[in-house]
């Protein structure tokens, strides 16, 4: 049995992989109706900040792993002292929880990052902007951000003062140069406690408003040396931080052919969803194998191109209404709905198409996702 903290779509897709391996999941979910609680047997309902709920989830399980990175590290330390194997452990996980800690460690390791500083007031922010050739700069809360929440582009000293007065005085802010990237990439590595690693092909991800909308595997036209370098960065970080399970490294590709690390996630990641249908072993199966310290599966792609498009909540309330059209039009589309209620912009599912012609694969994946979300018109009547 594996205990999984958090009942989102990542835990739901772990369940799918767990079935094939005949591994049981014990879920600690936020509520009875959340995405994973609809598919995992006998979920516990409780809070991830409640030690007794975490203890109950871990009871009798070989290991404890996560759907999100929000479990306080001090609770994980207590669990570890009580003999629970937390994978990843608190010393690794803190780098996915706190962007300032992550930046400091990566700099120590010599991993290329955007220029940055931790600032407490508008004067410090302004001084940083001066040191990187001026505004705009990117301001981030060090903790608690996701899908672009907690990230602002700040265009002037006046905006900087506004941004600082809008955040609570206790929040620490990270300020970064605004990278003029060519595109965003992601490198996913999976690492087991005994140190085996598997690296997935480096992908291109497209973000809109801070949310991932589309992923192409492998990243089209990426220089093979840069791809290997990005995989090496992910594997090096996984080793140095002693990450167990999936590590996703979000990267910026710069016009002069370098990559800079944007951020880290230590759990299956949206940029790896393509692997369910498009790789020999999915990120979810490899995450489970890794946390159990079993040999990892082959991360290679099955086809020259795989495109994953997220279904974001739009105008259509009942996603299943999209089935007659999508399924009839294209029997090659792979569909994953997360069992979540539709809210604007919320990730409620994804589709994947793979094949040999990138333009064709991409067009088909986009059509299916946009039919579901209603951006091709509301077809629910
Ligand atoms: P989150 O924790 O919400 O995922 P990120 O740090 O990944 O936040 O930032 C969200 C998005 O904002 C990124 O995917 C990227 O598009 C943009 N972004 C973040 N940092 C920078 C930066 N230093 N320069 C340019 N764009 C950035």
């Amino acid at each position: 049995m594996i205990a999984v903290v958090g009942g989102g779509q990542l835990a739901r897709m772990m369940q799918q992989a767990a079935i094939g391996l005949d591994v049981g999941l014990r879920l600690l979910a936020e509520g009875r109706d959340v995405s994973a609680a609809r598919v995992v047997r006998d979920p516990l309902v409780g809070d991830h900040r409640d030690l007794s709920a975490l203890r109950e989830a871990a009871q009798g399980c070989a290991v404890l792993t996560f759907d999100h990175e929000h479990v306080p590290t001090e609770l994980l330390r207590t669990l570890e002292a009580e003999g629970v194997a937390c994978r990843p452990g608190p010393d690794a996980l803190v780098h996915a929880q706190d962007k300032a800690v992550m930046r400091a460690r990566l700099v120590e390791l010599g991993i290329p990052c955007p220029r940055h500083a931790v600032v407490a007031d508008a004067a410090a922010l302004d001084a940083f902007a001066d040191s990187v050739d001026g505004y705009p700069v990117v301001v981030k809360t060090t903790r608690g951000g996701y899908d672009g929440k907690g990230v602002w582009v700040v265009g002037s000293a006046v905006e900087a003062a506004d941004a600082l007065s809008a955040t609570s005085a206790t929040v620490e802010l990270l300020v970064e140069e605004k990278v003029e990237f060519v595109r965003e990439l992601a490198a996913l590595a999976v690492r087991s406690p005994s140190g085996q690693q598997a690296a997935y092909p480096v992908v291109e991800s497209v973000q809109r408003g801070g949310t991932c909308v589309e992923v192409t595997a492998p990243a089209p036209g990426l220089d093979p040396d840069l791809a290997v370098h990005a995989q090496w960065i992910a594997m090096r970080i996984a080793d140095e931080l002693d990450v167990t399970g999936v590590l996703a490294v979000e990267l910026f590709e710069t016009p002069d052919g370098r990559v800079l690390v944007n951020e880290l996630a230590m759990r299956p990641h949206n940029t790896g969803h393509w692997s369910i249908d498009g790789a020999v072993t999915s990120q979810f199966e490899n995450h489970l194998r890794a946390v159990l310290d079993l040999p990892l599966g082959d991360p290679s792609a099955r086809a020259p191109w795989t495109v994953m498009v997220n279904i974001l909540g739009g105008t259509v309330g009942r996603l299943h209404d999209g089935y007659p059209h999508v399924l009839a039009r294209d029997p090659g589309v792979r569909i994953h709905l997360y069992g979540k209620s539709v809210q604007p912009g919320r990730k409620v599912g994804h589709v994947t198409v793979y094949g040999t012609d990138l333009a064709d694969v991409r067009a088909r994946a986009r059509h299916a996702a946009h039919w579901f979300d209603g951006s091709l018109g509301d077809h629910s009547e």
Side-chain angles (χ1 to χ4, degrees):
M1 293 286 291
I2 299 177
V4 181
V5 182
Q9 64 265 23
L10 303 178
R12 182 182 173 102
M13 292 184 270
M14 282 183 211
Q15 174 64 76
Q16 197 170 25
I19 291 169
L21 295 172
D22 191 26
V23 166
L25 299 189
R26 162 97 46 72
L27 187 73
L28 177 60
E30 301 76 4
R32 207 145 284 290
D33 278 347
V34 298
S35 182
R38 291 163 173 263
V39 301
V40 178
R41 215 173 133 195
D42 301 331
L44 303 170
V45 174
D47 195 298
H48 63 270
R49 292 157 300 192
D50 174 2
L51 182 59
S52 59
L54 293 167
R55 275 196 186 115
E56 192 182 345
Q59 177 77 38
C61 290
V63 295
L64 179 115
T65 191
F66 311 95
D67 161 272
H68 58 68
E69 40 250 333
H70 307 313
V71 180
T73 46
E74 56 275 16
L75 299 188
L76 296 178
R77 278 185 227 291
T78 306
L79 291 172
E80 282 195 326
E82 293 171 359
V84 176
C86 300
R87 297 190 178 150
D91 294 333
L93 201 58
V94 68
H95 300 90
Q97 293 180 337
D98 188 314
K99 290 176 179 170
V101 172
M102 176 268 290
R103 284 275 175 259
R105 185 81 173 104
L106 295 188
V107 166
E108 228 173 75
L109 295 173
I111 306 271
C113 292
R115 288 176 287 173
H116 61 275
V118 174
V119 295
D121 55 35
L125 205 165
D126 210 38
F128 172 81
D130 272 349
S131 74
V132 294
D133 319 316
Y135 293 95
V137 294
V138 179
V139 178
K140 303 179 175 185
T141 54
T142 54
R143 284 177 172 261
Y146 66 98
D147 285 353
K149 296 170 187 68
V151 176
W152 307 269
V153 177
V154 168
S156 66
V158 175
E159 273 182 46
D162 286 352
L164 280 158
S165 63
T167 57
S168 100
T170 55
V171 173
E172 210 184 23
L173 292 176
L174 179 72
V175 54
E176 298 178 349
E177 66 176 308
K178 184 167 186 296
V179 178
E180 292 309 322
F181 52 81
V182 182
R183 57 177 168 175
E184 294 188 61
L185 304 172
L188 248 81
V190 194
R191 182 174 174 277
S192 63
S194 42
Q196 192 193 0
Q197 289 215 44
Y200 282 90
V202 176
V203 302
E204 173 181 323
S205 79
V206 178
Q207 316 276 323
R208 209 161 292 144
T211 300
C212 171
V213 293
E214 185 172 305
V215 171
T216 303
L222 182 62
D223 171 15
D225 290 339
L226 195 57
V228 169
H229 183 61
Q231 289 179 315
W232 176 85
I233 286 176
M235 294 173 82
R236 168 107 200 280
I237 294 173
D239 262 338
E240 294 284 352
L241 271 48
D242 194 19
V243 178
T244 44
V246 171
L247 168 72
V249 181
E250 296 180 15
L251 299 157
F252 299 128
E253 185 183 1
T254 63
D256 58 353
R258 294 179 308 136
V259 287
L260 302 175
V261 173
N262 176 28
E263 69 162 348
L264 309 181
M266 293 180 197
R267 48 169 171 75
H269 192 252
N270 201 167
T271 58
H273 290 358
W274 69 275
S275 66
I276 301 175
D277 304 301
V280 176
T281 314
S282 82
Q283 64 163 346
F284 296 98
E285 175 163 344
N286 262 338
H287 185 76
L288 300 181
R289 291 192 193 203
V291 300
L292 291 170
D293 208 9
L294 292 169
L296 302 178
D298 182 355
S300 347
R302 294 169 188 267
W305 299 107
T306 307
V307 174
M308 186 269 350
V309 181
N310 276 339
I311 304 171
L312 300 176
T315 56
V316 176
R318 291 178 307 180
L319 296 174
H320 296 74
D321 288 341
Y323 281 163
H325 171 83
V326 172
L327 305 186
R329 183 178 190 268
D330 191 343
V333 175
R334 307 289 307 147
I335 295 162
H336 302 264
L337 299 187
Y338 304 155
K340 291 160 69 169
S341 62
V342 174
Q343 289 162 19
R346 188 180 196 200
K347 290 175 183 171
V348 290
H350 73 264
V351 300
T352 306
V353 179
Y354 56 87
T356 50
D357 177 341
L358 176 57
D360 168 68
V361 162
R362 185 174 273 161
R364 288 163 54 203
R366 284 181 184 169
H367 179 93
H370 297 154
W371 190 275
F372 278 117
D373 70 26
S375 48
L376 296 174
D378 186 342
H379 312 285
S380 56
E381 291 311 314

